[in-house]
Amino acid sequence: MLLKVKNLTRMFAVVVLIMGATMPVAHADDDEDEGRQPAVSNAKWVSECGACHVAYPPRYLPAESWRAIMSGLDKHFGSNAGLDAASANEITAFLEKNADTRKHETLAKPLLRITETRWFKSEHREVAAHNWKNPKVKSRANCGACHTKAESGDFNEDNVKIPK
Amino acid sequence: MLRAFFASGLVVAAVGLTANPAFAETPVEVLAALKAEASGTPGFQGFSAEHGESFFKTKHSHNLSCSTCHTDNPAAQGKHSETDKLIKPLAPAANEERFTDMKKVAKWFKRNCNDVLDRECTPQEKGDVLSYLLTVKK
């Protein structure tokens, strides 16, 4: 009898495990999945990209955008952010591997700014103009102004706090 | 035998985790390397912390100075002028990681001097700035 109960418990555990692994996690809408994806990381990417700005997660731009950014680091948004070849190659590979793979409209030139993607604009449509102009926000590149856990790659809406 | 092997591996891992972060260089060694470099320049008469401080706080090109991001107090936390990204204190007294890796020092001087002065800094300027930073107390 005891053995039977044990077996049943074990079977139940296995079923729950399988369900967890195969069932899609329910989300409100596709776009909001972004903040909940596990954050991928790479030490070089954190130390190099993350020195001057939030190390923007690879999933926010498609691979062709990352390639364009990484091949133009000598003119990186007004600054020469050139890297040694080994670091640049490692970071490019990491970005490409984890890039946004959703289908995008084909553009003549790949977007270089996350803030110009349709996804970004749609996600931030409720943010009022005066919030963007707040000196505490200063730039759309300053994710951490509102996304309090941006540094750890967490862009979950629940952790957003728009400064007053 | 195998057990002994694994045990020794664990000891090595534990030592690795608890040892102080091993820095490649000390700020004084970095300063010495800059001095060796500057000595090759005609008329070199040593570094000046005073010049370093004024260089650090003077606005150069684009209305930028070192202190634009690192603030007038290098022992304090700074902020990137464009992105507001926090920058850890620059003075070794306030941040033991600073100036402990020659490669990193060279990279950031090159990059930041290009942003602030539109050119690379001379060994004299770099040595002056580091001399100044070494005088800053926590």
Side-chain angles (χ1 to χ4, degrees), chain B residues 2 6 10 19 27 32 34 42-43 46 57 60 119-120 133 135:
Chain B
L2 206 61
F6 279 124
L10 273 178
L34 287 172
K57 295 178 177 171
H60 303 272
R119 62 167 173 84
E120 291 192 31
L133 292 174
T135 65

Side-chain angles (χ1 to χ4, degrees), chain A residues 17-57:
Chain A
L17 269 175
I18 292 173
M19 275 170 66
T22 55
M23 258 175 46
V25 186
H27 290 313
D29 71 60
D30 184 46
D31 283 346
E32 284 180 11
D33 287 0
E34 300 290 333
R36 291 180 173 85
Q37 282 177 18
V40 286
S41 197
N42 168 285
K44 270 264 154 62
W45 164 72
V46 171
S47 68
E48 297 297 347
C49 309
C52 297
H53 52 69
V54 169
Y56 301 119

Side-chain angles (χ1 to χ4, degrees), chain A residues 1 48 89 105 117 127:
Chain A
M1 181 59 197
E48 297 297 347
N89 290 340
E105 52 196 326
T117 62
V127 180

Side-chain angles (χ1 to χ4, degrees), chain B residues 3 8 17 19-20 25 34 41 44 55 57-58 63 68 70 95 98 125 134:
Chain B
R3 193 178 287 172
S8 66
L17 283 174
N20 287 328
E25 280 100 17
L34 287 172
T41 344
F44 176 68
F55 180 86
K57 295 178 177 171
T58 302
N63 211 22
T68 305
H70 293 292
N95 181 355
R98 292 298 191 188
E125 288 164 337
L134 284 166

